Amino acid sequence: MQKNSDAAFIPLRGIRYPRAEMLRRSREYYQFMDKRRTVREFADKPVSREIIENIVMAASSAPSGAHKQPWTFCVVSDPELKKAIRIAAEKEEYENYHGRMSEEWLEDLKPFGTDWEKPFLEIAPWLIVVFKKAYDLDQGQKRKNYYVNESVGLASGFLLSAIHHAGLVALTHTPSPMNFLQDLLKRPENERPFLLIPVGYPAEDATVPNLQRKKLEDVVVYYDPAEEDSAND
Ligand code: IYR
């Protein structure tokens, strides 16, 4: 690979495992991630800011276009602000559930039992509001960001897995439209709300829908000559 002589490169300090350990780790990680559930009923039990900061740093380690890290994580525990966010979100969601969403959409959501009321926005100890930076503002100068949706989507995935790894639960919430978050959180004009993620402990009596995940054969397609025989039997 041609390396730009201006760029500084350092040796990769990768992690290597013996094959058997790789197999075990890959299986255990899948089994661990498969236990993650989206939760809508939270306990009001506090979570320390240090835990939230570690989770944010794990999210911010995600790859991004030209390493621009085009994201801001607003972490909200202020009860007044959470209440204002709930009121604004419920106003939009009321409209969504009373005319803005199609019949098909409402039908698809029935198994989840969702409605326009969003008490979790006040109950969960933290709301993490993920903003994407459409561009950077460097002393008033616009600087381009690349693959912003892909980058912020990846960071949000890392965030959800870090929350799960810490033993907490989250809801990937998308009130729509959500420009009210830009106003309430006083974000600059280059930032757009991406996801609103309440984080905390599940309520003592929390339940989740009885969902099944797709099987491997429903989500994978092989292009692997070595496995042709076994794939066909
Ligand atoms: N944003 C609404 C509706 C909603 C849409 C989808 I797609 C979901 O998976 C869940 C809910 C709400 O938060 O209620």
Side-chain angles (χ1 to χ4, degrees), residues 2-3 7 15 27 31 44 63 67 75 78 101 110 112 123 127 134 142 148 151 157 174 176 201 203 207 215 227 233:
Q2 186 74 41
K3 285 180 184 166
I15 308 172
R27 186 191 313 113
Q31 289 168 346
D44 58 8
H67 188 53
V75 296
D78 174 10
M101 291 194 301
K110 273 197 181 144
F112 306 94
I123 297 169
L127 305 179
K142 281 193 185 182
V148 170
S151 302
T174 51
S176 173
Y201 295 91
T207 60
K215 297 195 287 292
E227 293 297 326
D233 22 79

Side-chain angles (χ1 to χ4, degrees), residues 43-78:
D44 58 8
K45 187 173 164 176
V47 170
S48 81
R49 180 151 135 186
E50 200 178 349
I51 293 174
I52 298 299
E53 287 170 350
N54 287 331
I55 287 168
V56 167
M57 287 309 283
S60 196
S61 75
S64 60
H67 188 53
K68 295 281 188 169
Q69 297 182 271
W71 45 65
T72 301
F73 299 91
C74 294
V75 296
V76 182
S77 65
D78 174 10

Side-chain angles (χ1 to χ4, degrees), residues 40 93 96-97 101 105 109 114-115 118 173-176:
R40 291 187 166 76
E93 292 296 350
N96 290 338
Y97 282 88
M101 291 194 301
W105 195 349
L109 288 182
T114 58
D115 63 26
K118 306 297 176 192
H173 182 38
T174 51
S176 173

